[in-house]
Amino acid sequence: MPEITFLVNGKSTVVEVSGDTPLLWVLRDTLNLTGTKYGCGIAQCGACTVHIDGQVQRSCVYPVSAVAGKNVTTIEGLSENRTHPLQEAWIAEQVPQCGYCQSGQIMTAAGFLKSNQHPTPDDVDKAMSNNICRCGTAQRIRAAILRAAAAMNGAPGQGQSKATGGEL
Amino acid sequence: MTTTSKPQVSRRTLLKSAVTAGAALVVGFEVPQIAKADPAKAAVNPFRAWVRIDRAGQVTLISARSEMGQGISSALPMILAEELGVDWKDVRVEQALTDPTLYGDQGTGGSGSVAGSWTPLRQAGAAARVMLIGAAAERWKVSPADCTVRNGYVHHQSDKIAYGDLVESASKRPIPDLATVPLKSPRDFQIVGKPMPRKDIPLKTDGSAQFGIDVRLPGMLYAVVERCPVFGGKVKSFDATKAKALPGVRDVFEIPAVPEGVHSWGGVAVVANTTWIAMQARKQLRIDWDYGPHATESSESLRRQFRRIVDSPCKVVFNTGDADAAISGSPAEKKVEADYELPFQAHATMEPMNCTVHVKPDGAEVWAPAQGPDWVNGVVAQATGLTPDKVKVHTTYMGGGFGRRYQADFAVEAAQIGKKMTGTPVQLVWSREDDMTHDFYRPASYHRVSGAIDSQGNILAWKHRSTSTSIADWWDRKSPPESSELGCTLQMPYIAKNYKLEYLPAQSGVPRAWWRSVEASSIGFVMESYMDELAHAAGADPYEFRIAKLGDGRKIGNPLNPKDTALEADRMKGVLKLAASKAGWGSPLAAGQGRGIACHFSFNSYAANVAEVTVSQGAVKVNRIVSAVDIGIAVNPEGVRAQVESAIVYGLTAALKSQITIQDGRAVESNFNKFPTLAMNETPRLEVYIVPSEVAPTGIGEPGLPPVAPAVMNAIFAATGKRIRRLPVIPSDLV
C-alpha cells in the first residue's frame, strides 16, 4: 500500500490505503472524521461534500490518491466552536431536522459564498439544488445562506431567529 | 445533549416507595397500555420513563423515545419544565437503554412521541412539584397552598429554597396520585406554546452529532451483505475465493434469512477493515441465486392484477344505504367514476440502514439508529442466543426514519454477523443501493371511486372499491388485509347519503410497511381528489363544497374500531378556513396558474393545504403551499412548523418525482439518480399556520403529508382542466 500524505483541517496526515479508495471512506473509516457523510456513493446527494484546496468536491467519488499534497477541509474544520456565519445562521433558522445531510449542505454553501458574496435567492437555489435533504429543509437552508451572506457583508439586523421563545 | 444511562435506582426500592435513590428525587410515569392489557404486569412494570432531580438541582428526563429530527429533545423537556417549574433548557435528556420491563413499548412512530408523553410528563412534573412544595412548606411551617415555584425554587413570600436542597426531604414524602395531581391550566403556560430552539441542532451544524453509521469502536470491522436482488430469493451457493483474496477482507460467510417477524433476507456477508474494502470485495462474490416464486412480478403485472380485482365486486367492508342503487338510478351527468393509482415508494432516508454490534460470550452491545429499539433488543437476543437482559441497545441519532427505522431487519443481520465475529465489534452498513432495493415500501394501490350528486348538489352516493399490496397481509396474517389499508375512508368526513367501502388485497412478493403517514398517504390523495371531482361535477367551488359537506358539529367515529378517536368535522372546517384565508382563496391568478385545496384527518390531527401551481409545456411548478393544522396544543410551534414543512416536501417528492417500479421481481430504482427528490429550486414557498387550541396535543410528524398530493393535483386541474389520477405526475399527463 502506498503512503499518501495530505492536509486535513490544517493537520498533516499520512494514510496507507489503496489509492483508489474514495476520500470519503478514508475520512470516515481511517481517520474517524465522521462528520462527512455517506449518502449515495455516486455524487448524487452531496452528503459527502468537502473542500479540496478550497474547491467544493464530492468525496465519495474522489480517489484519495488525487488528494496527495492537497489541503482537505471537512465540516469538523470549518470553524472553531461553530462560529462560521453559516453555522450561526443554520442555528438561527433552525435548519436541521434529522441533520444527516447538513454537513454536506453547509460545506456546499461555504464554497458557494466564497465565489458569490452577494447571492440572490435564485443564485442560492442554483448552487444548492444538487444537494438532497429528505427532511425537506430547503426553504430554511435558503434563508440561512442569505442570512449568513448578509452577516458576512456586515449587514446590520439579521432579523429574528426562528425560535423566539427562548435561548438554549 | 443526549447521553445514555440507566437511572441509578433498583427496581425493588422503587416499588416500595416509588420515590427513592437516596440523593435524588425520582418520579416515574405509568404505562397505560401495559396497565390496560395486563393489570398484574402493570404492577411489576409501573413506569415507562423517569424524571430525576439530584441534590445539585439537576433535572434529568430519561426518555425511551428516539430523536430522529422531529424535535422531541426540546418538546419533551418543555412539557416537563412547564409543570415542574424549572427552566426548560436546564432539563437534560438522557436516552434510555432498552428495557421492556421498565419502559414498555419504546417505539417512536405513529406521530406519537409528544401526544403519548403529554399527560404522563405533565403528571410526573406536577407530582415532583407537589412533593418539593410539600418539603419546603414543612420546613417553613406554612401551608403548601401559599407556596409557588419558579425556575427551580420553591418560593414563600420573600423566602426561597432551591430544588436541590429539598430533594432529600421531598423524596421521603408520599408520591401524589398521578391521576388527580393538579395540573396547570393551559392559560397559565409559560413555556409550552412558545417557539423554542431545538437542542440537537447545534450538534448538527459541525459534524459532531453521532448517527448510527458514525459509531466508532476500537478494533471495529465493517460489513456489507449481498442480498438476492429478487424479493424472496435466496443463496443456492457462492464462491468467495476472489473476495477473500482482497487485502483487508477478514471473513466472508452466509447469513440466513429470518422470515418470521423480521423479514430479513439473508445473503452473503463480507467483513473487512473498512466499509470501502467490504464493498469492493462484495463485487467479487460469485453467487448462484434461487430467485424464488416472485421472479416474474412487475409493476405492469401488478397493475393488471389490480384492475382485474376492481372490475368485480370486492369484500364489503362498510356499507350504509344503497350506493349501488343510488348510482345506477342517477342520470349520467350526475355520476362521477374515477380510477386512482399509487406506486410503491421507498423511504430513502439520507442515512442508509446500518447497525453496530459487539457480541461477547456473555452479552451483546448494540448501537442502532432505530425507531423500535426494544424490538431491536428482542431480535438481537434471538439471533445471538442471548437473553434480552444481556443485550444492551444504545439508540443513536437517526439520519431520517419516516417509518423505515421501525424495522429490525438491519439489526438482525448485524447480530448474525456480530455473532460469527464474536469478540470483535462490527458495523453493518447498507449501501444506498441496498437501502433502496431492499426497503419495506409504501404499498402500491388502485382505487375505483364511483358516486353521484343529486340536483341540489348533495352527495347522493360514494362508493370506494380498492385493492393494494396490503401491509397487514404481509406482516400479520391474523389481521384482515384491509385493516392496514383503509384509513380515513372508515371515518368519512363528508355527508354522503349512501356510502360503501369494498376492498380485496392483491398478491405480491414486494415487501411493504409503514411509510410516512402510512395508508393516509394514499387514501388522502384518493378521497380529496374525488371530492374535487364531485365539486366540479356539482358546479361548486371546491372549498365551499367541502365546508358545506362537513356539516355542523358532526363527530364521525370509526364503525370498525369504535375506540378510535372521532373525527370532529368542525375542526376540519377550521383548518380549511384558515388555509383558505391565508392563501387568499378565490383571488385571481395569472394565466397557466391554478389553485387547489385538500384536507385530511390522520393521527388524530387535522391538516389542510392550498397549493398554487404553474403548468407549462408539460411541466408543473408548485409555487406555494399554504398549510393549516389543528393538532391541539402545539407544544413547540417552531417544531410543528418544521414537521409540516418536512411532510409537505416529502409528499411533493412522492407526488411529482419518485416511485419504485418492479421488474423481474426486483426494484428498478436503486439510487438517487433514478429516484429523484424535490430540489431546492423546485421547493415551493411553504407557509404553515397553527389553529390555536387548548386540547391535548396530537401527532404532527405525518399529518401534513396526506393533503399535499391532492392539493397539487387539484391545482393542476384548476390550471389546465387535466385530472391527474395516477402518481407521480408524468409530463405526458400534462400536455
Side-chain angles (χ1 to χ4, degrees):
Chain A
M1 296 265 183
E3 280 195 356
I4 300 162
T5 306
F6 54 104
L7 285 175
V8 179
N9 300 328
K11 217 171 95 189
S12 181
T13 304
V14 185
V15 295
E16 246 189 279
V17 296
S18 166
D20 62 355
T21 308
L23 174 62
L24 170 69
W25 298 110
V26 176
L27 293 170
R28 292 185 51 82
D29 294 359
T30 310
L31 302 174
N32 286 347
L33 286 170
T34 54
T36 305
K37 304 301 188 201
Y38 166 66
C40 69
I42 57 169
Q44 288 287 310
C45 79
C48 67
T49 303
V50 298
H51 297 176
I52 301 175
D53 283 349
Q55 298 296 307
V56 171
Q57 299 288 356
R58 302 270 160 111
S59 66
C60 74
V61 292
Y62 204 97
V64 68
S65 57
V67 300
K70 293 188 178 166
N71 186 359
V72 177
T73 306
T74 70
I75 186 72
E76 289 92 344
L78 184 64
S79 74
E80 294 279 325
N81 308 322
R82 302 178 198 127
T83 48
H84 191 286
L86 280 168
Q87 291 169 313
E88 290 171 347
W90 242 245
I91 293 168
E93 294 292 339
Q94 294 282 291
V95 172
Q97 291 189 24
C98 90
Y100 191 79
C101 73
Q102 300 295 346
S103 298
Q105 303 274 8
I106 291 171
M107 294 308 285
T108 305
F112 163 65
L113 286 184
K114 274 195 255 175
S115 64
N116 185 343
Q117 282 91 36
H118 300 279
T120 65
D122 281 350
D123 294 340
V124 175
D125 279 9
K126 212 170 282 171
M128 300 302 295
S129 281
N130 294 317
N131 284 65
I132 297 177
C133 170
R134 285 290 275 162
C135 297
T137 62
Q139 175 165 283
R140 288 169 188 253
I141 290 173
R142 185 195 294 125
I145 293 171
L146 294 171
R147 175 189 282 266
M152 290 161 92
N153 293 324
Q158 299 309 312
Q160 271 194 326
S161 160
K162 286 268 182 192
T164 54
E167 300 281 312
L168 265 184
Chain B
M1 179 82 63
T2 302
T3 54
T4 301
S5 86
K6 200 166 191 171
Q8 294 304 308
V9 51
S10 83
R11 199 169 310 147
R12 183 181 303 274
T13 320
L14 177 92
L15 283 170
K16 261 190 206 156
S17 65
V19 186
T20 180
L25 171 61
V26 179
V27 183
F29 326 152
E30 283 183 277
V31 186
Q33 297 94 316
I34 291 180
K36 258 185 233 156
D38 183 352
K41 217 173 156 195
V44 186
N45 310 309
F47 301 124
R48 110 173 303 166
W50 311 75
V51 174
R52 189 175 66 220
I53 309 169
D54 68 16
R55 275 184 181 163
Q58 174 66 56
V59 180
T60 305
L61 166 61
I62 296 118
S63 168
R65 302 292 189 185
S66 320
E67 176 63 73
M68 51 184 178
Q70 83 280 38
I72 56 162
S73 53
S74 285
L76 301 187
M78 287 172 69
I79 299 168
L80 175 68
E82 184 72 67
E83 292 290 348
L84 184 55
V86 296
D87 190 333
W88 74 279
K89 53 182 186 281
D90 295 338
V91 177
R92 281 180 57 224
V93 180
E94 284 184 14
Q95 185 73 52
L97 289 167
T98 47
D99 189 341
T101 61
L102 278 178
Y103 302 109
D105 166 24
Q106 286 185 228
T108 302
S111 296
S113 293
V114 166
S117 303
W118 171 251
T119 300
L121 263 177
R122 291 180 76 199
Q123 289 172 340
R129 181 189 72 217
V130 166
M131 294 158 83
L132 290 159
I133 287 178
E138 192 175 63
R139 196 176 298 182
W140 286 322
K141 304 203 184 339
V142 300
S143 162
D146 295 331
C147 299
T148 56
V149 296
R150 204 162 58 245
N151 285 337
Y153 288 86
V154 182
H155 292 256
H156 178 258
Q157 294 170 358
S158 59
D159 293 329
K160 64 174 185 175
I161 310 177
Y163 282 3
D165 297 332
L166 291 166
V167 154
E168 187 136 10
S169 47
S171 67
K172 294 180 182 124
R173 300 182 67 80
I175 191 165
D177 179 2
L178 292 180
T180 57
V181 70
L183 302 176
K184 281 172 92 167
S185 158
R187 271 158 229 191
D188 299 328
F189 285 164
Q190 302 287 319
I191 303 166
V192 166
K194 300 224 162 50
M196 295 298 185
R198 289 222 334 265
K199 291 189 171 199
D200 53 325
I201 280 182
L203 309 178
K204 293 174 175 177
T205 64
D206 66 359
S208 62
Q210 193 181 56
F211 296 86
I213 204 168
D214 300 333
V215 170
R216 292 292 176 269
L217 302 168
M220 190 178 88
L221 299 177
Y222 298 83
V224 298
V225 174
E226 180 75 359
R227 300 165 195 83
C228 184
V230 174
F231 298 118
K234 49 180 189 269
V235 177
K236 258 198 278 190
S237 63
F238 71 100
D239 176 358
T241 315
K242 278 186 164 177
K244 281 183 171 167
L246 280 187
V249 173
R250 305 292 281 263
D251 207 347
V252 180
F253 48 88
E254 188 179 343
I255 55 169
V258 183
E260 277 311 306
V262 182
H263 290 284
S264 78
W265 296 111
V268 179
V270 179
V271 183
N273 289 346
T274 69
T275 318
W276 177 250
I277 295 171
M279 287 174 167
Q280 295 310 103
R282 170 162 77 161
K283 291 183 192 159
Q284 302 298 324
L285 292 171
R286 296 283 171 272
I287 304 175
D288 189 15
W289 299 107
D290 168 2
Y291 286 133
H294 303 296
T296 59
E297 185 172 342
S298 69
S299 290
E300 279 313 305
S301 72
L302 187 60
R303 190 176 193 219
R304 284 195 297 275
Q305 189 192 164
F306 280 163
R307 292 169 80 116
R308 207 165 46 238
I309 290 170
V310 299
D311 277 345
S312 304
C314 297
K315 175 183 167 185
V316 177
V317 180
F318 179 72
N319 189 23
T320 177
D322 190 340
D324 292 300
I327 294 166
S328 60
S330 292
E333 71 275 13
K334 296 290 181 190
K335 289 194 232 187
V336 179
E337 180 174 300
D339 285 10
Y340 302 94
E341 297 175 64
L342 296 104
F344 292 111
Q345 287 289 354
H347 297 82
T349 62
M350 287 310 295
E351 179 193 18
M353 297 304 107
N354 65 85
C355 186
T356 306
V357 175
H358 190 183
V359 180
K360 295 173 206 164
D362 59 345
E365 213 164 345
V366 182
W367 290 261
Q371 291 176 254
D374 46 339
W375 190 11
V376 167
N377 177 286
V379 302
V380 171
Q382 204 163 14
T384 53
L386 295 160
T387 51
D389 59 308
K390 298 286 184 215
V391 176
K392 201 169 168 184
V393 180
H394 305 269
T395 307
T396 65
Y397 280 126
M398 280 175 260
F402 314 125
R404 177 61 179 93
R405 288 197 151 90
Y406 231 123
Q407 308 296 337
D409 54 330
F410 52 93
V412 86
E413 289 179 350
Q416 290 170 326
I417 297 165
K419 181 164 200 252
K420 179 78 172 23
M421 305 300 292
T422 293
T424 304
V426 185
Q427 179 170 93
L428 168 68
V429 176
W430 288 36
S431 69
R432 171 58 58 199
E433 289 80 6
D434 296 336
D435 191 275
M436 204 169 273
T437 61
H438 289 90
D439 199 349
F440 295 89
Y441 305 93
R442 193 278 305 275
S445 62
Y446 195 104
H447 309 254
R448 177 161 296 165
V449 191
S450 44
I453 46 172
D454 67 16
S455 52
Q456 281 84 49
N458 299 306
I459 302 171
L460 185 61
W462 181 313
K463 178 179 158 189
H464 185 149
R465 176 186 292 166
S466 64
T467 179
S468 64
T469 59
S470 156
I471 295 172
D473 215 21
W474 172 266
W475 281 97
D476 168 20
R477 287 177 182 273
K478 282 172 280 186
S479 310
E482 67 270 19
S483 61
S484 57
E485 306 301 301
L486 300 176
C488 204
T489 57
L490 288 167
Q491 289 177 281
M492 172 60 164
Y494 303 114
I495 300 165
K497 281 184 193 145
N498 301 282
Y499 182 61
K500 188 177 189 184
L501 278 180
E502 295 181 21
Y503 179 86
L504 274 181
Q507 301 309 309
S508 167
V510 180
R512 57 271 186 181
W514 316 288
W515 182 91
R516 197 170 192 172
S517 81
V518 201
E519 75 276 24
S521 70
S522 306
I523 293 296
F525 167 65
V526 176
M527 293 182 80
E528 287 299 300
S529 295
Y530 189 71
M531 191 61 186
D532 217 65
E533 300 207 35
L534 286 182
H536 286 284
D541 173 87
Y543 162 72
E544 301 289 351
F545 190 70
R546 283 174 172 79
I547 296 289
K549 303 310 170 217
L550 286 164
D552 288 307
R554 294 168 62 243
K555 291 195 177 178
I556 301 108
N558 180 340
L560 301 191
N561 298 300
K563 282 183 190 160
D564 282 5
T565 303
L567 183 160
E568 297 172 57
D570 287 349
R571 292 178 73 183
M572 192 77 101
K573 288 200 289 188
V575 290
L576 279 168
K577 285 177 179 171
L578 182 58
S581 105
K582 295 291 184 183
W585 183 263
S587 63
L589 289 167
Q593 297 193 346
R595 196 182 272 128
I597 193 165
C599 57
H600 203 64
F601 171 74
S602 60
F603 305 91
N604 300 332
S605 293
Y606 302 79
N609 287 339
V610 174
E612 290 175 14
V613 304
T614 302
V615 182
S616 69
Q617 296 169 336
V620 58
K621 171 87 168 70
V622 183
N623 304 312
R624 180 186 181 209
I625 291 198
V626 178
S627 187
V629 295
D630 180 348
I631 58 160
I633 291 167
V635 172
N636 185 357
E638 189 44 35
V640 169
R641 280 189 284 270
Q643 284 299 295
V644 177
E645 291 167 12
S646 175
I648 289 170
V649 173
Y650 205 80
L652 282 174
T653 283
L656 302 173
K657 308 209 54 149
S658 71
Q659 65 177 316
I660 292 293
T661 49
I662 305 299
Q663 190 64 49
D664 300 328
R666 61 189 89 190
V668 173
E669 296 78 9
S670 63
N671 207 321
F672 288 118
N673 53 347
K674 297 282 171 55
F675 189 90
T677 61
L678 201 76
M680 185 186 282
N681 59 0
E682 300 166 312
T683 302
R685 194 169 111 212
L686 306 172
E687 298 168 42
V688 180
Y689 301 95
I690 301 168
V691 174
S693 176
E694 288 190 0
V695 305
T698 47
I700 198 53
E702 299 164 275
L705 191 149
V708 172
V712 171
M713 301 313 140
N714 295 343
I716 290 174
F717 181 81
T720 65
K722 293 189 191 309
R723 180 62 67 181
I724 308 297
R725 301 190 180 98
R726 185 182 185 184
L727 297 184
V729 183
I730 51 172
S732 59
D733 293 338
L734 296 169
V735 289

